[in-house]
Amino acid sequence: MREIFIVYHGLGMAGKTTNLEFLSSVFQNLKIDRFHQSTVEGRTVYLDMLLMAIKIKGSEEKLKVRLFSTPGQERFSVVRSWIFSNADGFVFIVDPTQHIDENLRSYGELREYTTKKPVVIQINKTDIVGEVDSLKKIFGNRTVFTASAKNGVGVRETFLTILKEVIENGVGK
Amino acid sequence: MDIISYHISDEDIKEIEEVLRKLITSIGIDIAVVGDEGGRLIAYLPLGDGSHHIAERFCVVSASVLGALDQIDNLVQSKMNFFTEGLASAIYIKISPRKFFISVKFSKGVMLGTVKLFVDKAMKELEPIFQQIRERSNNKFPGLKFDMLEI
């Protein structure tokens, strides 16, 4: 079975786990497994994974899609590089309620991996911060979605777009 | 940093399963999985109802442990293997230089030294297969298009 590994990255509390939770409920029929290793406060420690299998038309084969979110806190940076090096594509979640420099520092961690692998940007929490046009411009020609993950807005679109970009990228071509 | 990309053929899987079969029958092992550092399950034994689900989880958790261990390894310069034991069972994981691993769960009645010996032997047999897989340049999704997915 072929498999795609997509990593959701961003600052702590940006909404990565909320994205995976929403996708887990929307794609209930595709879900194989979901687990989340968290602290008592609900913060991701290491494992936050949603595993799905998508049927390929005209084939008995299914495409396995593994979504993994990273522990967002700065102290986990040493383990993130291992996760990044294994990814086929990335979703970077921008938290507009936190300072842009902090968001860009987190985005910068992806730099060495995204020269050959696709990345889709999701500006989350637009239900709290209305205007995000200036933020969009920062990411240049990257695909950018606005979202409110806790309300499920923009989550599905973000996922389908990174999935499409990963498949079109071919990975390893 | 290189992009990690490989495609494992059915023939590769058969060969890997054969090595695992020998490992399982040589010593009393509850489950043996082969995965890669990204937590992708490649092969496992024994097969059976519900075992795939267990193998998937075992594989991801093993890879995560190895990922964390990799950081510790930078500090202690040790070999890439891991052992832990509970009340009734124990787990031994060995990673290859090609970044694939064998992870086994076994009863504490089985001697750790025996497990290490046979896992090392299995790893030596798998190494040429892993090398072949890594060196085989491939498009991971040949012929696959997004609109072919039933989503």
Side-chain angles (χ1 to χ4, degrees):
Chain A
M1 190 186 284
R2 287 178 284 189
E3 181 171 329
I4 287 175
F5 183 11
I6 296 169
V7 169
Y8 279 64
H9 178 57
L11 290 172
M13 300 183 72
K16 303 176 291 293
T17 298
T18 310
N19 265 262
L20 265 57
E21 281 296 316
F22 183 78
L23 292 170
S24 175
S25 64
V26 169
F27 295 112
Q28 188 73 35
N29 57 329
L30 306 176
K31 184 169 74 177
I32 298 174
D33 200 1
R34 164 96 180 107
F35 61 87
H36 181 212
Q37 180 192 356
S38 62
T39 65
V40 289
E41 297 88 0
R43 304 274 67 81
T44 299
V45 177
Y46 200 85
L47 292 171
D48 182 17
M49 189 201 77
L50 170 62
L51 182 62
M52 297 186 279
I54 305 171
K55 195 166 184 321
I56 297 170
K57 288 173 191 168
S59 163
E60 290 302 307
E61 190 187 5
K62 285 185 175 178
L63 178 70
K64 199 186 285 184
V65 178
R66 186 186 303 275
L67 305 183
F68 213 107
S69 93
T70 55
Q73 286 72 20
E74 170 67 17
R75 64 183 178 279
F76 284 110
S77 60
V78 289
V79 295
R80 282 198 286 269
S81 62
W82 170 78
I83 299 172
F84 295 160
S85 65
N86 286 288
D88 298 315
F90 302 91
V91 172
F92 180 71
I93 311 283
V94 180
D95 182 349
T97 67
Q98 299 191 56
H99 198 284
I100 187 60
D101 289 348
E102 279 298 297
N103 280 284
L104 290 177
R105 178 195 54 72
S106 180
Y107 183 59
E109 289 185 72
L110 293 176
R111 191 170 297 121
E112 70 173 295
Y113 308 98
T114 53
T115 53
K116 291 180 179 174
K117 300 179 188 180
V119 58
V120 167
I121 312 295
Q122 182 190 89
I123 302 174
N124 193 20
K125 303 185 183 179
T126 51
D127 53 311
I128 301 172
V129 181
E131 196 279 316
V132 291
D133 284 349
S134 55
L135 267 178
K136 282 185 183 175
K137 287 175 189 158
I138 291 172
F139 296 96
N141 57 1
R142 298 286 193 195
T143 308
V144 181
F145 287 95
T146 52
S148 169
K150 71 174 183 183
N151 297 313
V153 177
V155 175
R156 194 174 187 279
E157 295 81 353
T158 305
F159 165 64
L160 293 176
T161 302
I162 187 63
L163 183 61
K164 186 168 190 281
E165 290 194 12
V166 166
I167 290 171
E168 287 174 354
N169 185 54
V171 181
K173 271 179 182 172
Chain B
M1 184 80 62
D2 289 339
I3 287 179
I4 296 174
S5 175
Y6 59 86
H7 179 70
I8 300 178
S9 68
D10 291 343
E11 200 56 42
D12 295 327
I13 300 282
K14 277 183 197 164
E15 287 181 45
I16 294 168
E17 282 181 346
E18 185 50 37
V19 174
L20 289 186
R21 188 164 290 113
K22 280 191 280 181
L23 175 63
I24 289 249
T25 51
S26 300
I27 44 175
I29 280 178
D30 300 336
I31 185 166
V33 306
V34 169
D36 74 5
E37 60 176 345
R40 302 169 180 100
L41 178 64
I42 292 166
Y44 67 97
L45 282 179
L47 304 172
D49 286 347
S51 58
H52 185 81
H53 186 68
I54 293 166
E56 284 271 8
R57 278 196 167 219
F58 191 32
C59 184
V60 169
V61 172
S62 296
S64 302
V65 167
L66 289 171
L69 190 65
D70 189 40
Q71 301 303 319
I72 294 172
D73 206 52
N74 289 335
L75 303 177
V76 298
Q77 300 284 301
S78 68
K79 289 179 183 174
M80 280 300 286
N81 53 42
F82 175 82
F83 169 72
T84 187
E85 63 180 351
L87 286 175
S89 301
I91 287 170
Y92 178 66
I93 310 171
K94 185 174 180 64
I95 193 161
S96 86
R98 313 279 170 194
K99 302 292 182 187
F100 293 98
F101 65 81
I102 302 174
S103 184
V104 297
K105 179 172 167 279
F106 56 99
S107 159
K108 281 179 70 178
V110 181
M111 299 281 286
L112 174 62
T114 309
V115 174
K116 282 186 171 179
L117 192 70
F118 278 88
V119 170
D120 285 358
K121 182 172 175 286
M123 186 60 92
K124 275 182 191 154
E125 290 179 40
L126 290 174
E127 216 30 70
I129 305 172
F130 292 154
Q131 182 178 355
Q132 186 179 298
I133 289 167
R134 286 290 183 199
E135 288 175 355
R136 193 186 298 143
S137 172
N138 213 326
N139 178 358
K140 198 170 170 188
F141 316 112
L144 181 63
K145 291 187 167 36
F146 179 74
D147 57 14
M148 291 164 70
L149 300 179
E150 292 188 3
I151 193 166

